[in-house]
Amino acid sequence: MSAVEPGDGAENEVLRVPEVTRGFTGRRRRRTEALPPGQYRTDDFPVLSAGPTPRVDTDEWRFTITTETGSSHHWDWNGLQRLPRDSFDTDLHCVTRWSKFGTRWSGYPLDAFFDRVQTSAGHALVTSYGGYTTNLPVADLLGGRAWIVTGYDGQPLEPVHGGPARLLVPHLYLWKSAKWVRSITLSDEQELGFWERVGYHAYGDPWSEQRYSL
Ligand SMILES: Nc1nc2c(c(=O)[nH]1)N[C@H]1C(S)=C(S)[C@@H](COP(=O)(O)O)O[C@H]1N2
Ligand SMILES: [Mo]
């Protein structure tokens, strides 16, 4: 695994998603179709993975939130389906400078998971099947700004893009949106994730160009 840029990995490839004519669907629109500084627009959906694509069966899929006191909450695939489902459009911004406008997702807001979780922790470390990690403040997982998504453009999320389920936090650079999400560990102390440890920004706001920690 060469730690060069978030996404430079063994499996880089470009998937072309066919353009579809889109009628009014009544979906919530979160996209702004504005480019953060230093970004360019692409209509491709690049695949950026720092390693091979884990194959996770929905029968075996499990998602866990562990609090700062060590109590754990688990959801399996059936438990996931019982949560309120949300469909939305959003823009994506990758630190390697591509932005993609108007991507369509469906999934479950993290707020629904956190309804069951007693915590006053400020920090979250997200871990994926395959071992990838990324950190962000707990507050950024709440307020209808972060989802566990299982659908992309009307289809089940493909494994290369993080299927069966990935985190999506579109207001931060896309490396925060852990594919093949497995668990979130909450704590009072910040613990850096995979890219953050090698110099990428601990927070990663695309609008203030927080690419690297200085
Ligand atoms: N598990 C895991 N999640 C990950 C990555 C990864 O290597 N492994 N790469 C991140 C980076 S750097 C980006 S830009 C996005 C890319 O998502 P995509 O491949 O669906 O475009 O996933 C993020 N989530
Ligand atoms: Mo990335």
Side-chain angles (χ1 to χ4, degrees), residues 108-179:
Y108 308 90
L110 261 294
D111 304 87
F113 299 84
F114 275 86
D115 280 350
R116 276 177 47 189
V117 176
Q118 281 287 340
T119 183
S120 59
H123 302 277
L125 185 71
V126 186
T127 301
S128 297
Y129 288 93
Y132 183 84
T133 55
T134 188
N135 65 280
L136 72 170
V138 174
D140 289 79
L141 292 171
L142 304 176
R145 298 186 295 164
W147 295 262
I148 303 293
V149 290
T150 58
Y152 172 71
D153 218 12
Q155 301 294 325
L157 181 60
E158 288 179 82
V160 286
H161 286 296
R166 79 182 292 173
L167 179 65
L168 193 69
V169 194
H171 70 282
L172 300 177
Y173 281 125
L174 199 56
W175 89 76
K176 301 288 181 178
S177 293
K179 304 197 280 190

Side-chain angles (χ1 to χ4, degrees), residues 5-8 47-49 93-98 132 173-176 195 200:
E5 287 231 309
D8 278 1
V47 170
L48 295 149
S49 304
H93 309 295
C94 173
V95 74
T96 62
R97 299 186 183 273
W98 58 268
Y132 183 84
Y173 281 125
L174 199 56
W175 89 76
K176 301 288 181 178
W195 288 115
Y200 283 84

